[in-house]
Amino acid sequence: MGDRFVVVPVDRGGDVSIEGQQSDSVRVPATRFTGGDDRVEDPELEENAVFEPQDPNAAVPILEYNREPNKYGDGVPKENSPFINNTDNDKSNSYDGTNMALFEEEMDSNPMVSSLLDKLANYTNLTQGAQEHEEADDDEGSKKKAVKSPQMGTFMGVYLPCLQNILGVILFLRLTWIVGTAGILESLAIVGLCCSCTMLTAISMSAIATNGVVPAGGSYYMISRSLGPEFGGAVGLCFYLGTTFAGSMYILGTIEILLTYIVPKAAIFVAEKKEDEVDALLNNMRVYGTCCLTLMSIVVFVGVKYVNKLALVFLACVILSILAIYAGVIKTIFEPPDFPVCMLGNRTLQNHNFDKCLKNDIIDNVTATTQLWKLFCKGPELNATCNDYFLNNNVTQIQGIPGLTSGVISENMWSEYGPLGMLVENKKLSSQGGSDPTQDIYLPYVANDIASFFTLLVGIYFPSVTGIMAGSNRSGDLRDAQRSIPVGTILAIFTTSVIYITCVVLFGACIEGVLLRDKFGDSVKGNLVIGTLSWPSPWVIVIGSFFSCCGAGLQSLTGAPRLLQAIARDGIVPFLQVFGHGKANGEPTWALLLTAAICEIGILIASLDAVAPILSMFFLMCYLFVNLACAVQTLLRTPNWRPRFKYYHWALSFLGMSLCLALMFISSWYYAIVAMAIAGCIYKYIEYRGAEKEWGDGIRGLSLNAARFALIRLEEAPPHTKNWRPQCLVLLNLDSDQAVKHPRLLSFTSQLKAGKGLTIVGNVLEGTFLTKEAEAKKAEQNIKSSMTAERTKGFCHVVVSSNLRDGVSHLIQSAGLGGMKHNTVLMAWPGTWKQSNDPQSWRNFIETVRETTSAHQALLVAKNVDSFPTNQDRLGEGTIDVWWVVHDGGLLMLLPFLLRQHKVWRKCKMRIFTVAQMDDNSIQMKKDLQTFLYHLRLNAEVEVVEMHDNDISAFTYEKTLVMEQRSQMLKQMQLSKTEREREAQLIHDRNTASHTASNDKSETGPERVHMTWTKDKLFTERNRNREANANVAMRDLFNMKPNQTNVRRMHTAIKLNEVVVNKSQGAHLVLLNMPGPPKNRGGDENYMEFLEVLLEGLNRVLLVRGGGREVITIYS
């Protein structure tokens, strides 16, 4: 608004002066009005403003509104942050506008909408790991380097990375074996189950990913911010372990391809016997796998940019390999490749050590034995001793790849499961007996290297559909993550599902069953089985799959450390803090070392088939919680749940979650239990030791809904006696620094509650909330710190009130919510009430007693609370003594039982004393009490104490008299100086009034009497009256007699105190009925004196006053 008003001269007639028409005009600098008293000279406006000399005809300057747009913006100050309650705003901003003057005092904390939108429009999705954008480090906030805006689209940023991660080692090395073992139908079921699981998970993930900006961190970020830090940390670590073991699997796949199909002669361990081949292969995998892991770790450590540069090469290898498979399938229609399989009877032979599939051959018209003969016979001679099965069966050759039109698909429809060592056989071929199973393992037959069954194959196959998170993990690099992640991920899953389904059908339709079940291609001279189908050469698949596995391994070793670093930097798992650090450029060095160490565990397992189910568990658990997160958010209908992806439903998420859980137990029930136990331990650890985070997660929303539902249910009826437990309101006192005076009161509360039920810790500050807000927050913080230190679980409630009494009354009336309200008030005995000059302290205490009684709430008053045991103390052999004088609901019986549940009081025994009068049968009372305790299921010693009606002693009279004299003296002393002055003035006024009246009556008399009050006379008269009053008061004080009611009460207190001290002075805790305050408020101070006498000589005492309802029952 600053430039929109300019000063222009106007003549007397109101016409605006025009530049150049008046020659004697004086130029003045134009003035810009800023809305206040300050004026800013603006040279640009000088040509618009003139001022005439001071003469009668001079023009009068007025303000003219300039309709040109403001050159300096709209007059609205630009805040430094678009977020509400920002305290870093530039305080020098001046609000020039008048349109928003109503809100100008709030603009320091609440930015204008235009400023907010300007900040959000320029928001850059920085790659900050898993740390969310609004929690970026404050120290670096003003020093962040400009990062170029991410430009990756759906195809390059999501679709291709997902495709590369999903298609991998299992497709090339195990899919043919799975099809041959499970058959086409069951293989389709396996593929369908796994692909359905990932598709449902992708739908849920798309909904979460499109519900707001997803910073870098991908799946971990989504789960943790949807389900909270406990679930987020547990699932994030599971996802990390899954990614790490995936690296092991890819490295093992790389070494298997290298040693089995590329350079078999590179093996360090060579089996001399056939039965040692498996062990030799595993040892080779361990050695070469460790070397490969070391090499890959060095590459990742040196620089990720090299891995990223090779990513397209690895992706090209995958795509070319798949195209080669489809090309080979088409070629089999016209010209099937020649890969003969040698069969002995119906058994498949390993074609490594012989060239011709013949028993003997005719060379130069001479019959000679072949290399195959030497494998089954003890010599090359025709009459050598041979294996019976070899002699009884013929050797035949069948085509390993009969082709798409051969009809072999009908033979491969059904499963061929078997135990470890079962020979791979073709049931169509004839077979004669004579074999010795104990000798078959030493002969060159193709056999199962592991026992095969459906659930095992599910666990081995599932890693081939993982990798769907690759797009969401790159969310920080995407141009539009909310659009790219759903489209790219779902399209990639659909594409790979089609590839897997077609591959299952085509493998079963083109390849002979015995070759399919030959895991390592031993029957076709060690060729990769899927390579025999490809075109133009098996080496296309071998080389392509080798580089594909290398690339996938490198990516796992690149991604896993960053995921661990993101979790560590979030600070939710304390012992992982060290892995949040790295090199100067942010590379996670320590996380890479841990990843390599865990990866080495998988390599030492050495078997691809054993490692695959392990990572299946961790990935399935991650997918399970993605589905759970979506379902929880959908069902809670939280206001922030507004995903742009609309094709989701909570039922689909629950179906995906159920499918994940089912697949976990189908694959391997013991691995599933271990994985869930690991996740559970991490969850509890984060809950116990982790940093408290408020991420607006769904579990918190679920807790709120559950709490609301439970509170509404509790509201329906009061709790039954069997469910009654003390729900405590603890009234704490704070000192001048807002520190807790009696922290042992909190210790006692935790010992009494043992973590059960409701605990509200309350405090009252005197004053008004507007002036005491900071103190109230400090007090609340101090109370919460004390509660944490004393392990008291509950809520804190600080009330600011005009006076202490009203504040305590408000707490007693309104603390709690619905059915979760307190029924017991716990407070400390005001030990300094006698020394206090302010009687309000003990009056507040008595009013609290009255109000709890009126509210039908129980009251517990702890005397000498600072001597009560802490939570670390362990009381030895001792007793908790209960003095049951009157029955007010049974709370006296229940409290020792609750205390003994805690380890501090566990070794204490319970003793119950009751008082018998003269006309009571003490023996019968003891029997009845023992029976009552038996039915209550309480173990306690019982003792009946007889109190005879003795004459009231002189000591009692004297003590009562001293008490009443003290009370009277205090009342006299409470007359303040102001009140005494007021009393003297009142005497003066009365004297003056009576003197005036007497003068009026005697006006008719012969003479008038005048009395003049001087200042000296006034002070003399005042002192004389005061001394007279004091003398009268002292005379009354020494002549007074004690009240008989007070004498009787003092007698009871003294006698009962004598009995209690005699019996229970050495007890760890004494519980005693608390007598009620007098109905006449004039005796309040005497009531405090009675209680003081009653408790004299006892160390730890808990006065108990019931709430007027039964809290303990003999019924089950």
Side-chain angles (χ1 to χ4, degrees):
M1 300 293 288
D3 290 344
R4 298 190 182 183
F5 291 95
V6 294
V7 180
V8 294
V10 177
D11 61 12
R12 294 283 181 180
D15 297 326
V16 179
S17 68
I18 304 172
E19 185 181 357
Q21 288 184 354
Q22 298 186 14
S23 59
D24 54 350
S25 300
V26 180
R27 311 292 289 182
V28 296
T31 305
R32 173 156 39 95
F33 290 81
T34 61
D37 295 334
D38 299 331
R39 302 183 180 191
V40 183
E41 293 186 358
D42 193 341
E44 295 180 5
L45 300 177
E46 287 188 10
E47 60 183 11
N48 295 328
V50 292
F51 188 74
E52 295 295 327
Q54 297 292 333
D55 62 65
N57 298 320
V60 180
I62 67 168
L63 289 176
E64 182 184 48
Y65 183 71
N66 182 9
R67 294 186 178 274
E68 294 181 6
N70 190 347
K71 292 186 281 292
Y72 299 95
D74 56 0
V76 178
K78 302 300 182 184
E79 285 77 5
N80 295 329
S81 170
F83 300 108
I84 305 300
N85 297 328
N86 178 35
T87 58
D88 300 329
N89 290 335
D90 186 3
K91 299 300 181 184
S92 64
N93 286 338
S94 60
Y95 300 97
D96 299 336
T98 57
N99 290 338
M100 293 294 132
L102 187 62
F103 301 96
E104 64 184 6
E105 292 185 359
E106 301 177 14
M107 289 182 181
D108 284 333
S109 58
N110 301 342
M112 291 297 295
V113 173
S114 57
S115 175
L116 176 69
L117 294 177
D118 179 60
K119 294 291 184 183
L120 293 179
N122 296 323
Y123 170 73
T124 302
N125 189 359
L126 301 177
T127 304
Q128 301 175 12
Q131 188 174 13
E132 54 191 318
H133 57 281
E134 61 262 31
E135 291 184 357
D137 294 336
D138 293 333
D139 298 339
E140 301 174 4
S142 60
K143 303 177 183 178
K144 285 196 179 293
K145 296 180 180 178
V147 180
K148 65 178 183 179
S149 180
Q151 294 298 324
M152 296 186 74
T154 304
F155 187 74
M156 290 296 294
V158 181
Y159 180 75
L160 290 181
C162 285
L163 210 66
Q164 181 183 358
N165 277 267
I166 294 172
L167 299 171
V169 60
I170 301 296
L171 170 65
F172 299 122
L173 295 183
R174 291 294 182 269
L175 191 58
T176 53
W177 174 72
I178 290 172
V179 172
T181 305
I184 294 175
L185 293 179
E186 292 188 26
S187 297
L188 288 174
I190 293 172
V191 173
L193 274 174
C194 297
C195 291
S196 300
C197 177
T198 52
M199 181 62 81
L200 292 171
T201 304
I203 292 172
S204 299
M205 184 186 73
S206 300
I208 299 174
T210 57
N211 187 50
V213 178
V214 180
S219 55
Y220 163 69
Y221 179 91
M222 291 188 294
I223 295 170
S224 61
R225 270 56 175 183
S226 296
L227 292 178
E230 293 87 3
F231 278 112
V235 180
L237 286 175
C238 283
F239 190 47
Y240 163 74
L241 290 173
T243 309
T244 305
F245 275 104
S248 300
M249 185 186 73
Y250 291 129
I251 291 173
L252 290 174
T254 303
I255 302 306
E256 184 176 312
I257 294 169
L258 179 70
L259 294 180
T260 308
Y261 307 114
I262 299 179
V263 279
K265 294 182 180 178
I268 298 175
F269 300 92
V270 180
E272 306 214 352
K273 300 178 181 177
K274 181 178 178 295
E275 61 269 22
D276 298 331
E277 287 179 356
V278 175
D279 293 334
L281 176 63
L282 294 181
N283 288 330
N284 285 319
M285 300 278 274
R286 292 183 180 108
V287 173
Y288 278 96
T290 304
C291 296
C292 184
L293 172 63
T294 306
L295 183 63
M296 287 184 176
S297 300
I298 292 172
V299 171
V300 173
F301 178 78
V302 169
V304 183
K305 57 183 180 180
Y306 303 111
V307 179
N308 293 334
K309 286 179 180 178
L310 293 172
L312 283 177
V313 176
F314 298 141
L315 178 60
C317 292
V318 175
I319 294 174
L320 286 175
S321 299
I322 292 172
L323 292 177
I325 293 169
Y326 284 114
V329 169
I330 295 171
K331 184 176 178 294
T332 61
I333 301 174
F334 314 105
E335 185 183 349
D338 184 27
F339 283 97
V341 177
C342 188
M343 307 291 294
L344 177 62
N346 63 357
R347 299 179 180 179
T348 311
L349 297 177
Q350 293 182 352
N351 193 357
H352 288 298
N353 299 320
F354 60 89
D355 297 324
K356 296 181 179 180
C357 186
L358 297 170
K359 289 186 179 181
N360 44 55
D361 195 10
I362 299 175
I363 301 174
D364 298 332
N365 293 326
V366 177
T367 302
T369 57
T370 60
Q371 292 174 321
L372 180 61
W373 179 281
K374 297 174 184 175
L375 295 175
F376 285 89
C377 301
K378 293 184 178 179
E381 300 83 10
L382 288 172
N383 59 353
T385 305
C386 295
N387 179 264
D388 291 341
Y389 189 84
F390 179 73
L391 295 174
N392 294 337
N393 292 274
N394 296 323
V395 175
T396 56
Q397 261 189 346
I398 60 173
Q399 270 302 328
I401 314 289
L404 191 61
T405 58
S406 63
V408 73
I409 187 171
S410 60
E411 301 172 12
N412 293 330
M413 294 294 286
W414 313 110
S415 60
E416 290 284 347
Y417 300 119
L420 170 67
M422 188 186 83
L423 303 181
V424 177
E425 299 175 343
N426 188 336
K427 302 296 183 183
K428 290 193 307 178
L429 299 178
S430 61
S431 173
Q432 302 296 326
S435 65
D436 183 3
T438 58
Q439 297 298 316
D440 289 342
I441 59 173
Y442 304 109
L443 298 173
Y445 295 124
V446 177
N448 288 352
D449 64 328
I450 57 172
S452 56
F453 40 90
F454 178 80
T455 56
L456 173 74
L457 299 188
V458 173
I460 292 175
Y461 173 76
F462 188 81
S464 66
V465 296
T466 59
I468 63 172
M469 301 288 189
S472 63
N473 289 341
R474 289 167 170 251
S475 55
D477 303 324
L478 299 174
R479 188 186 306 116
D480 184 2
Q482 295 193 17
R483 178 181 175 275
S484 297
I485 289 176
V487 174
T489 305
I490 293 175
L491 196 59
I493 293 174
F494 179 77
T495 304
T496 52
S497 299
V498 169
I499 290 173
Y500 282 130
I501 290 171
T502 54
C503 282
V504 166
V505 175
L506 293 176
F507 290 166
C510 295
I511 305 176
E512 182 61 47
V514 291
L515 182 55
L516 284 173
R517 294 194 295 279
D518 184 3
K519 185 185 289 186
F520 301 108
D522 292 322
S523 59
V524 284
K525 295 189 177 295
N527 276 301
L528 183 62
V529 175
I530 197 172
T532 60
L533 183 62
S534 63
W535 181 86
S537 166
W539 285 100
V540 175
I541 297 287
V542 171
I543 301 300
S545 59
F546 177 78
F547 283 112
S548 168
C549 292
C550 281
L554 281 171
Q555 285 188 338
S556 295
L557 288 177
T558 304
R562 277 158 184 74
L563 181 60
L564 182 63
Q565 186 182 43
I567 298 170
R569 284 183 173 176
D570 256 349
I572 58 174
V573 186
F575 70 82
L576 292 180
Q577 295 287 346
V578 65
F579 299 108
H581 308 297
K583 293 193 292 186
N585 60 353
E587 291 297 316
T589 309
W590 293 106
L592 177 62
L593 288 175
L594 180 65
T595 303
I598 297 174
C599 202
E600 178 65 18
I601 296 173
I603 287 171
L604 293 177
I605 295 174
S607 171
L608 186 70
D609 303 318
V611 173
I614 296 176
L615 66 103
S616 294
M617 290 304 116
F618 293 121
F619 277 118
L620 278 166
M621 182 156 302
C622 177
Y623 297 164
L624 184 149
F625 282 105
V626 169
N627 285 294
L628 176 63
C630 180
V632 166
Q633 297 277 32
T634 306
L635 289 175
L636 286 178
R637 297 178 183 174
T638 50
N640 192 52
W641 180 246
R642 303 184 299 274
R644 291 190 176 278
F645 181 78
K646 301 299 182 184
Y647 307 101
Y648 71 94
H649 193 270
W650 64 266
L652 290 177
S653 299
F654 266 116
L655 181 61
M657 186 177 68
S658 305
L659 198 54
C660 289
L661 191 62
L663 284 174
M664 285 177 69
F665 282 91
I666 286 173
S667 302
S668 175
W669 63 267
Y670 44 90
Y671 279 159
I673 291 173
V674 170
M676 293 174 77
I678 291 173
C681 291
I682 297 169
Y683 178 95
K684 294 305 292 183
Y685 177 80
I686 295 174
E687 186 181 53
Y688 180 67
R689 291 291 304 276
E692 293 183 6
K693 299 281 184 180
E694 176 49 63
W695 286 333
D697 52 86
I699 294 298
R700 184 172 177 80
L702 193 63
S703 301
L704 288 172
N705 268 13
R708 170 186 160 275
F709 177 76
L711 283 172
I712 291 174
R713 290 289 300 274
L714 280 175
E715 192 74 21
E716 293 177 1
H720 191 273
T721 303
K722 291 186 288 188
N723 295 327
W724 195 95
R725 67 165 61 247
Q727 319 285 3
C728 290
L729 169 63
V730 184
L731 298 179
L732 278 185
N733 292 327
L734 303 182
D735 57 21
S736 57
D737 295 330
Q738 310 304 332
V740 176
K741 276 188 179 179
H742 304 295
R744 296 288 178 89
L745 204 59
L746 295 174
S747 305
F748 182 72
T749 305
S750 61
Q751 294 160 20
L752 181 65
K753 305 287 292 178
K756 304 293 191 301
L758 174 70
T759 301
I760 303 173
V761 181
N763 175 253
V764 179
L765 295 180
E766 290 192 75
T768 61
F769 184 69
L770 292 178
T771 58
K772 295 280 188 177
E773 181 187 1
E775 289 184 33
K777 287 183 178 178
K778 182 181 178 183
E780 188 171 345
Q781 200 63 39
N782 290 344
I783 291 173
K784 285 182 177 177
S785 301
S786 297
M787 291 173 68
T788 304
E790 302 297 336
R791 298 180 182 177
T792 305
K793 295 181 180 179
F795 308 99
C796 176
H797 196 175
V798 176
V799 172
V800 181
S801 179
S802 58
N803 60 72
L804 196 63
R805 177 178 165 186
D806 288 348
V808 173
S809 179
H810 294 156
L811 274 176
I812 292 173
Q813 293 177 61
S814 61
L817 180 64
M820 284 296 285
K821 291 182 71 70
H822 63 278
N823 55 29
T824 305
V825 176
L826 174 61
M827 60 191 301
W829 170 260
T832 59
W833 71 274
K834 279 188 175 182
Q835 291 77 28
S836 175
N837 295 325
D838 183 14
Q840 203 60 38
S841 61
W842 52 264
R843 284 178 181 164
N844 287 336
F845 172 79
I846 296 175
E847 288 304 316
T848 304
V849 177
R850 286 195 175 104
E851 283 172 355
T852 54
T853 304
S854 178
H856 302 290
Q857 295 174 3
L859 177 65
L860 308 178
V861 179
K863 188 192 176 189
N864 298 332
V865 69
D866 292 329
S867 68
F868 276 52
T870 65
N871 289 324
Q872 286 72 38
D873 293 338
R874 299 292 180 270
L875 297 180
E877 297 292 336
T879 60
I880 300 175
D881 287 359
V882 177
W883 284 85
W884 192 19
V885 180
V886 295
H887 178 65
D888 53 1
L891 186 57
L892 272 172
M893 308 290 186
L894 189 60
L895 290 176
F897 170 77
L898 295 175
L899 282 174
R900 290 179 63 209
Q901 306 301 307
H902 197 274
K903 49 193 173 185
V904 173
W905 304 88
R906 190 162 293 157
K907 293 183 179 179
C908 297
K909 294 180 180 179
M910 177 177 168
R911 293 195 302 179
I912 296 183
F913 296 90
T914 189
V915 178
Q917 302 298 324
M918 280 295 295
D919 52 350
D920 292 331
N921 185 344
S922 57
I923 298 175
Q924 188 60 39
M925 278 182 67
K926 184 172 183 179
K927 290 181 180 178
D928 293 342
L929 183 55
Q930 288 173 337
T931 305
F932 181 58
L933 290 177
Y934 176 78
H935 287 304
L936 288 176
R937 288 92 63 201
L938 295 175
N939 296 320
E941 296 179 15
V942 175
E943 188 171 340
V944 177
V945 178
E946 295 181 353
M947 287 184 64
H948 302 290
D949 288 337
N950 297 334
D951 293 334
I952 297 175
S953 64
F955 173 74
T956 304
Y957 273 107
E958 183 182 350
K959 199 166 184 66
T960 309
L961 182 60
V962 169
M963 175 187 74
E964 292 185 353
Q965 287 175 346
R966 179 178 179 275
S967 176
Q968 192 66 27
M969 286 178 66
L970 285 174
K971 287 178 182 177
Q972 292 293 330
M973 292 169 62
Q974 283 167 14
L975 290 173
S976 65
K977 182 179 179 182
T978 307
E979 290 171 339
R980 290 197 296 270
E981 293 281 354
R982 192 180 297 116
E983 186 177 4
Q985 185 65 37
L986 181 61
I987 294 170
H988 165 251
D989 293 341
R990 284 176 180 172
N991 291 338
T992 305
S994 62
H995 174 66
T996 305
S998 63
N999 285 344
D1000 292 340
K1001 290 179 182 178
S1002 62
E1003 278 184 357
T1004 57
E1007 59 181 1
R1008 298 173 63 187
V1009 179
H1010 295 277
M1011 179 175 286
T1012 304
W1013 283 87
T1014 64
K1015 188 174 182 181
D1016 293 337
K1017 285 183 178 181
L1018 175 63
F1019 284 143
T1020 304
E1021 183 68 24
R1022 185 181 297 164
N1023 291 333
R1024 186 185 301 130
N1025 291 335
R1026 187 180 300 162
E1027 289 172 3
N1029 291 336
N1031 292 332
V1032 170
M1034 290 303 293
R1035 222 172 18 249
D1036 292 343
L1037 197 63
F1038 287 112
N1039 293 332
M1040 68 183 296
K1041 293 182 179 181
N1043 182 283
Q1044 289 302 312
T1045 304
N1046 289 342
V1047 170
R1048 291 200 312 273
R1049 289 176 177 170
M1050 182 62 76
H1051 176 70
T1052 303
I1054 292 174
K1055 296 299 291 182
L1056 189 56
N1057 175 260
E1058 288 176 359
V1059 174
V1060 173
V1061 170
N1062 182 38
K1063 296 283 186 181
S1064 302
Q1065 193 167 21
H1068 287 315
L1069 180 65
V1070 176
L1071 279 75
L1072 188 63
N1073 281 115
M1074 182 178 184
K1079 294 180 181 179
N1080 180 15
R1081 295 178 187 271
D1084 283 358
E1085 187 185 1
N1086 298 336
Y1087 172 71
M1088 294 295 291
E1089 192 72 45
F1090 294 145
L1091 291 181
E1092 194 72 60
V1093 170
L1094 182 62
L1095 305 178
E1096 191 175 356
L1098 298 172
N1099 184 19
R1100 296 185 193 132
V1101 184
L1102 187 67
L1103 288 173
V1104 181
R1105 184 163 175 77
R1109 62 161 294 172
E1110 292 292 335
V1111 301
I1112 193 166
T1113 178
I1114 63 174
Y1115 299 105
S1116 61

